[in-house]
């Protein structure tokens, strides 16, 4: 007999069920039903040219083969995407758990208390690290969050007509391109320039986007930029790295008006580019101007804590023409993963991870300098840019890296950039240094600029202090899951395009390393399996 067809397992109706429903309609076949409901001009007469359906084991085997065609090198490419280690207690009990991934977008608070609590924790992580009073939960990715922030700057500003939006040339390249694309539809001119040497009185932008740390890894003093921008009435948006903010003060402290970024490196696999849980944080007075949903805390009739979506100004079903964005891009599942990554590690754990990344980056810089190679980045967190003698020298390093299954970022001239992440070990550092032909030495000091080290505490809520054993964390996740409605307990009462009806077979490949761990800017030849799948 073999395995039953996927459709009967997933969709449900058996042949006798179909016959009974057709009989109730007075029809004798599904083809007759199609002729009755599909207008003749739309109907397809010939059968679709599709291969025979695979069984579930065959489909999984095919997908594994495609995943294996993707080459997952150690990618030190950066640009806002990082290899991360998803704690198994989170991977098994959230990412791969239908009690979490089949739950519907939490529009109905009374059946979504577990996710709303988790999303509140996501907001608390962002608020604590950025220093802002409110954060949304969440957005698609960092680049689209930057575009949303540009739109917000338009709403907040006065007399913005004809004024440009200034984007720092050291923002991530994909962010610059997404902002440019969104600006075209808004009729906004985008100027890409060095914010440290901008003539503000001549340009007078309505808003400015800066990257901190910059795409080349540099950490700069941006307080004068914020002051100058405010002097001409510009709205200052900072694209930030949450992990870097465990070591340095948040952008609210140096004068930014809003912060955007991605929580991807908080346990969310790269997945060849996303989606990832991004965020936008700002001051309390601008809460109603920001896109996205904001989770709030209330009390129910018995005086117990109850969570709700306090603001969901971005959603069409709430405000339609008055919505602050027409794109539904909240990433609930991934925001929950990022929040629970912070719960699992706590402030001390996050600080330890960040310090380890920074120390190894400092070792890399010190070793390259000792080997006579120019390191251009003076102050950095996890990324340095180096200059070699010429393109031939760059190609030699890239070839040596490729032989070791390592991807480095080629900046297109005589420069390379290297970005480290939490998965990097001392052996990995030594491997990278071998590509440059230098030996590994220890750095004598780290390289954060004076005056920016973090003194403000973060993640002080008891939830971030409590769950250090896996059994306690497991029970916490299960308690949250039990406060929610998912496909594990009932049919979801609302429709829409969510993951709630994806079969287990369709979800399993998400965790395969060939799909999950590929950097979006890895060389095209590394993604042969993805290309075949898309084709």
């Amino acid at each position: 007999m073999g395995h039953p067809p996927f459709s009967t397992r997933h969709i449900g109706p058996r042949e006798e069920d179909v016959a009974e429903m057709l009989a109730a309609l007075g029809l004798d076949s599904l083809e007759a039903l199609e002729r009755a409901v599909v207008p003749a001009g739309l109907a397809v007469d010939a059968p679709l040219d599709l291969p025979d359906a695979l069984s579930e084991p065959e489909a999984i085997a095919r997908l594994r083969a495609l995943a294996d065609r993707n080459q997952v090198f150690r990618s030190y490419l950066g640009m806002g995407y990082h290899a991360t280690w998803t704690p198994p207690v989170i991977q098994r009990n959230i990412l791969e758990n239908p009690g979490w991934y089949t739950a519907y977008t939490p529009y109905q608070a009374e059946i979504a208390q577990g996710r709303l609590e988790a999303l509140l924790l996501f907001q608390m992580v962002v608020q604590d690290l950025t220093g802002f009073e409110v954060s949304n939960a969440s957005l698609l990715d960092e680049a689209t969050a930057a575009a949303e922030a540009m739109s917000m700057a338009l709403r907040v500003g006065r007399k913005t007509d004809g004024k440009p939006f200034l984007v720092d040339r050291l923002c991530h390249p994909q962010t610059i391109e997404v902002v440019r694309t969104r600006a075209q539809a808004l009729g906004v001119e985008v100027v890409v320039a060095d914010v440290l040497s901008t003539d503000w009185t001549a340009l007078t932008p309505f808003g400015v986007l800066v990257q901190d740390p910059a795409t080349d890894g540099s950490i700069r003093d941006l307080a004068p930029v914020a002051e100058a921008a405010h002097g001409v009435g510009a709205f200052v948006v900072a694209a930030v790295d949450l992990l870097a903010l465990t070591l340095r003060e948040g952008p609210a402290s140096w004068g930014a008006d809003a912060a955007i970024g991605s929580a991807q490196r908080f346990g969310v696999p790269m997945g060849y580019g996303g989606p990832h849980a991004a965020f936008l944080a700002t001051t309390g007075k601008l809460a109603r101007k920001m896109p996205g949903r904001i989770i709030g805390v209330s009390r129910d009739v018995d005086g117990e804590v109850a969570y709700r979506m306090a603001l969901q100004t971005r959603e069409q079903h709430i405000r339609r023409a008055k919505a602050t964005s027409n794109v539904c891009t909240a990433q609930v599942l991934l925001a929950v993963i990022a929040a629970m990554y912070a719960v699992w590690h706590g402030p001390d754990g996050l600080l330890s991870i960040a310090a380890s990344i920074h120390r190894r980056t400092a070792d890399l810089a010190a070793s390259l300098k000792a080997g006579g190679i120019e390191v251009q980045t003076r102050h950095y967190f996890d990324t340095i840019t180096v200059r070699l003698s010429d393109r031939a020298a760059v190609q030699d390093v890239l070839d040596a890296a490729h032989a070791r299954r390592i991807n480095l970022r080629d900046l297109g001239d005589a420069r390379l950039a290297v970005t480290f992440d939490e998965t990097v070990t001392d052996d990995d550092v030594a491997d990278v240094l071998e590509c440059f032909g230098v030996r590994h030495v220890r750095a004598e000091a780290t390289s954060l600029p004076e005056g920016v080290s973090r003194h403000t505490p973060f993640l002080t809520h008891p939830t971030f202090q409590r769950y250090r054993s896996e059994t306690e964390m497991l029970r916490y996740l299960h308690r949250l899951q039990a406060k929610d409605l998912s496909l594990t307990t009932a049919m979801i009462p609302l429709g829409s395009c969510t993951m709630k009806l994806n079969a287990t077979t369709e979800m399993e490949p998400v965790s395969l390393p060939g799909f999950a761990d590929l950097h979006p800017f890895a060389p095209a030849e590394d993604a042969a399996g993805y290309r075949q799948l898309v084709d």
Side-chain angles (χ1 to χ4, degrees):
M1 294 291 291
H3 293 277
F6 172 79
S7 58
T8 60
R9 291 292 197 194
H10 181 43
I11 300 174
R14 295 166 294 181
E15 288 186 14
E16 54 266 35
D17 298 323
V18 173
E20 183 179 353
M21 288 186 281
L22 287 170
L25 296 171
L27 300 168
D28 59 7
S29 68
L30 289 174
E31 289 74 20
L33 174 62
E34 181 180 338
R35 288 193 298 270
V37 299
V38 179
L42 298 179
V44 177
D45 295 330
L48 296 177
D49 183 19
L50 295 173
D52 292 337
L54 301 178
S55 68
E56 289 183 88
E58 290 169 334
I60 287 295
R62 178 75 62 84
L63 287 163
R64 287 185 180 277
L66 290 173
D68 289 343
R69 292 198 66 201
N70 295 324
Q71 299 296 309
V72 182
F73 284 21
R74 287 171 288 173
S75 286
Y76 306 133
L77 298 166
M79 291 184 277
Y81 298 96
H82 308 271
T84 186
W85 189 68
T86 308
V89 68
I90 293 175
Q91 177 166 329
R92 177 63 63 87
N93 295 291
I94 298 180
L95 177 59
E96 298 174 352
N97 180 0
W100 284 96
Y101 72 69
T102 69
Y104 184 67
T105 301
Y107 292 142
Q108 293 175 280
E110 67 277 10
I111 59 170
Q113 287 295 291
R115 272 169 302 146
L116 290 175
E117 181 174 331
L119 292 175
L120 183 72
L121 292 169
F122 177 85
Q123 291 174 183
M124 292 167 66
V125 171
V126 174
Q127 289 165 210
D128 279 10
L129 291 173
T130 63
F132 283 109
E133 298 167 295
V134 293
S135 169
N136 62 12
S138 53
L139 294 169
L140 177 69
D141 60 15
E142 183 170 320
T144 53
E148 295 284 4
M150 175 180 63
S151 298
M152 180 179 167
L154 271 176
R155 292 191 296 274
V156 170
R158 295 180 178 178
K159 297 181 180 179
T160 59
D161 290 349
K163 292 184 177 181
F165 185 71
L166 175 61
V167 178
D168 184 17
R169 66 177 182 84
L170 291 182
C171 287
H172 293 317
Q174 73 275 14
T175 300
I176 296 174
E177 292 308 309
V178 170
V179 169
R180 278 176 166 155
T181 300
R182 186 74 65 87
Q184 288 179 352
L186 296 172
V188 169
E189 178 191 3
V190 171
V191 175
V192 179
D194 183 352
V195 295
L196 298 183
S197 59
T198 293
D199 184 346
W200 296 90
T201 55
L203 189 64
T204 61
F206 71 85
V208 56
L209 175 67
V210 296
Q211 189 90 47
D212 183 46
T215 193
D216 66 355
S218 57
I219 293 177
R220 303 161 292 170
D221 180 7
L222 294 171
V225 173
E227 183 178 2
H230 290 153
V232 296
F235 188 84
V236 179
V237 181
V240 297
D241 182 320
L242 291 179
L243 201 55
L245 293 180
T246 64
L247 295 177
R248 59 168 310 190
E249 293 291 353
S253 69
W254 51 257
D257 298 299
I260 60 102
S262 170
Q264 180 268 315
R265 71 189 313 174
F266 276 33
V268 179
M270 286 184 288
Y272 200 40
H276 302 126
F279 59 84
L280 192 156
T282 189
T283 59
K285 67 180 182 180
L286 296 178
R288 291 188 176 275
K289 300 288 187 181
M290 66 190 299
R293 52 190 63 158
I294 301 175
I295 311 307
V297 182
S298 295
R299 296 280 176 181
D300 65 15
V301 292
D302 299 317
E304 299 293 330
V305 168
Y307 304 104
R308 73 196 192 286
M309 283 210 281
L311 285 176
Q312 39 190 324
T313 54
R314 190 163 58 94
E315 302 300 333
Q316 303 96 309
H317 73 288
I318 297 297
R319 305 186 74 198
R320 296 186 182 274
K322 294 183 179 179
T324 53
S325 170
N326 64 354
V327 183
C328 277
T329 52
Q331 299 299 319
V332 173
L333 180 69
L334 305 181
V336 169
I337 290 173
M340 293 307 149
Y341 179 95
V343 170
W344 176 240
H345 288 295
D348 293 340
L350 293 181
L351 192 58
S352 176
I353 291 169
S356 175
I357 293 171
H358 186 52
R359 179 187 66 77
R360 289 189 169 100
T361 308
D363 282 358
L364 177 70
S367 302
L368 291 170
K369 289 177 183 177
I373 295 174
E374 179 187 354
V375 176
Q376 293 190 310
T377 319
R378 181 183 177 191
H379 298 300
Y380 49 81
F381 165 56
D382 63 359
T383 300
I384 60 170
T385 296
V386 301
R387 180 178 291 280
L388 301 174
S389 57
D390 52 31
R391 279 302 303 175
V394 168
Q395 194 58 53
D396 287 344
V397 173
L398 291 175
D399 290 343
H402 189 271
R404 292 170 172 79
R405 295 178 63 83
I406 291 172
N407 286 324
L408 304 177
R409 183 180 175 190
D410 183 357
L411 295 175
D413 45 21
R415 298 182 304 147
L416 289 169
V418 184
T419 299
F420 281 166
D421 55 61
E422 69 167 313
T423 69
V424 172
T425 65
D426 286 343
D427 287 342
D428 292 323
V429 177
D431 280 351
V432 172
L433 290 170
E434 284 184 13
C435 301
F436 289 89
V438 302
R439 65 183 185 86
H440 191 181
V441 300
R442 294 292 186 188
E444 295 182 2
T446 58
S447 183
L448 290 176
E450 293 182 9
V452 305
S453 296
R454 188 174 190 104
H455 300 290
T456 306
F458 60 95
L459 305 190
T460 56
H461 189 277
T463 300
F464 297 108
Q465 319 289 327
R466 187 174 293 155
Y467 303 106
R468 294 297 172 268
S469 79
E470 183 172 308
T471 50
E472 284 297 324
M473 185 69 177
L474 173 65
R475 291 167 189 147
Y476 178 58
L477 296 178
H478 185 74
R479 286 198 300 274
L480 293 182
Q481 179 186 332
K483 297 177 184 178
D484 240 285
L485 187 73
S486 71
L487 205 62
T488 62
T489 47
M491 178 52 68
I492 309 301
L494 291 170
S496 191
C497 49
T498 70
M499 300 199 330
K500 65 179 180 289
L501 292 179
N502 282 355
T504 306
T505 301
E506 295 167 323
M507 294 300 297
E508 182 179 336
V510 170
S511 295
L512 295 175
F515 291 136
D517 297 336
L518 196 64
H519 193 287
F521 297 121
E525 58 268 24
D526 290 2
Y530 262 116
R531 290 207 313 276
Q532 183 178 344
L533 185 63
V534 171
D535 289 343

